[in-house]
Amino acid sequence: MKLSELSAAEIYYRFSTRGVFLKTGPLIFSIRSTLPQVVDTVQRLYGAYTVADSEDFADFYVELKQPGGLRKWYHPQVLFDFDGRIPFKPLPLAQAFPMLEWGMNWCIANHCHNWLIIHSAVVEKNGQGIILPAPPGSGKSTLCAALVGRGWRLLSDELALIDPECGKLIPMPRPVGLKNDSIEIMQAFLPKARFGPACKDTRKGTVAHMAAADADCVNAQWVTPSWVVYPQYVAASEAVLQPHPRGDSLVQLASNSFNNQLLGRQGFETLAKLIDTTASFDFRYSQLEDAIRIFEDLSSSSPVPQAVG
């Protein structure tokens, strides 16, 4: 059953009692909250996700709630509760939904060490995955949202999950986080997309989230990575795709990994195999239509030959 198939009364009941058990990729999150801005935005952006058949188990139990005391009334805040612990300082109440998204990312990045995890967006077309690692402000999420809005499959906006055994990408599609000017740009570029409310004055500026395509929310098929592309938005630049040295790409992927060192030899070998079986590029752009055209050409080209041995 999808979340959108539950009545509003049932959704509010589940959120306020045992929690809503949502399947996101291979993981189940139990999400509790009585905060309307959390419940309403989850309904809007996670409506196409599957509600777990059983409420006996979740990988992560999280709750968004207000702290007690006078602050609740004079300076409302929100807390992220993870398995009965509070790992972060409170944020202003208006930032409750972004805090849920950031908290869910934190849960995965800090606990799912059966996979190699890289800070990166991941999209797929024609059965070929593209990993898009980049620092904040590079235009990664804007490019990811534009591709997803034009038919590319979303595997993740933030976390590339790679199985060390087979080297494939594991889908973890969740709403795409957009910041500042990119919010209005994407609302104009994709007028039919579903967006959550814009939250101002967060540590990242103004933040809003865009829903993944309904089909992507429940597509569990793993994907073979074919390319690693480092995007960079440069005002007034032409769209340019240039080869990136493999040795440096290995270093960059390692530096963007959350758990490469924790996994030790297995982590290094997974990264080395990824470099051996993909091609790496730098990508500079300013116009989304030009960027999409180049990615369409890339997805139509032959996959990278697999390394021998």
Side-chain angles (χ1 to χ4, degrees):
M1 175 183 288
K2 294 181 179 179
L3 180 65
S4 60
E5 294 173 340
L6 296 175
S7 68
E10 176 66 17
I11 290 174
Y12 268 87
Y13 174 76
R14 293 194 184 196
F15 266 109
S16 63
T17 55
R18 289 179 55 83
V20 168
F21 285 60
L22 273 183
K23 296 184 69 173
T24 56
L27 301 175
I28 297 176
F29 277 86
S30 168
I31 305 172
R32 295 185 65 214
S33 186
T34 58
L35 302 175
Q37 60 267 57
V38 173
V39 178
D40 294 344
T41 309
V42 171
Q43 276 187 273
R44 178 169 178 75
L45 300 184
Y46 282 88
Y49 289 74
T50 301
V51 178
D53 294 331
S54 171
E55 296 183 351
D56 293 334
F57 172 79
D59 295 280
F60 300 107
Y61 292 81
V62 303
E63 180 178 6
L64 275 294
K65 60 185 181 182
Q66 286 190 262
L70 292 176
R71 183 180 290 275
K72 178 177 180 180
W73 306 105
Y74 292 101
H75 186 63
Q77 293 182 319
V78 60
L79 294 169
F80 181 85
D81 183 307
F82 165 65
D83 283 350
R85 295 181 288 128
I86 307 296
F88 314 121
K89 293 181 179 179
L91 293 179
L93 181 60
Q95 298 178 23
F97 183 76
M99 191 179 205
L100 171 64
E101 288 295 317
W102 297 332
M104 292 170 73
N105 288 339
W106 176 86
C107 289
I108 298 168
N110 285 275
H111 297 88
C112 294
H113 300 309
N114 48 325
W115 307 309
L116 178 69
I117 305 174
I118 299 171
H119 180 216
S120 172
V122 187
V123 294
E124 175 264 330
K125 197 163 195 180
N126 299 326
Q128 302 181 72
I130 300 182
I131 300 172
L132 300 164
S138 60
K140 165 180 69 68
S141 293
T142 306
L143 176 60
C144 175
L147 290 168
V148 170
R150 292 298 177 84
W152 286 66
R153 178 187 170 197
L154 174 69
L155 276 76
S156 178
D157 171 44
E158 286 289 337
L159 303 171
L161 309 179
I162 302 174
D163 182 82
E165 298 297 325
C166 66
K168 289 193 174 184
L169 294 159
I170 301 163
M172 181 64 69
R174 303 214 330 269
V176 178
L178 299 168
K179 297 184 287 294
N180 302 317
D181 293 344
S182 66
I183 298 170
E184 290 189 359
I185 290 172
M186 295 315 304
Q187 288 173 335
F189 192 75
L190 301 171
K192 294 183 179 180
R194 276 178 289 125
F195 294 87
C199 297
K200 298 180 179 179
D201 301 323
T202 77
R203 59 187 171 88
K204 299 183 178 182
T206 300
V207 173
H209 289 80
M210 187 186 89
D214 289 358
D216 294 352
C217 300
V218 293
N219 189 343
Q221 185 173 10
W222 294 13
V223 173
T224 299
S226 295
W227 297 282
V228 178
V229 178
Y230 299 93
Q232 176 66 57
Y233 171 83
V234 179
S237 170
E238 294 183 359
V240 178
L241 189 70
Q242 295 179 315
H244 187 107
R246 289 194 172 196
D248 186 73
S249 188
L250 176 62
V251 173
Q252 290 213 31
L253 288 178
S255 67
N256 279 281
S257 172
F258 290 97
N259 60 350
N260 170 48
Q261 293 188 347
L262 182 68
L263 294 177
R265 179 174 179 175
Q266 185 184 49
F268 176 80
E269 290 179 346
T270 303
L271 283 175
K273 181 179 179 182
L274 177 63
I275 293 297
D276 282 345
T277 56
T278 60
S280 295
F281 293 94
D282 290 311
F283 179 58
R284 187 172 67 247
Y285 77 99
S286 62
Q287 301 297 316
L288 289 172
E289 293 289 2
D290 293 341
I292 291 171
R293 175 178 51 79
I294 285 183
F295 273 68
E296 292 289 348
D297 291 343
L298 191 62
S299 74
S300 299
S301 62
S302 299
V304 176
Q306 301 298 294
V308 177

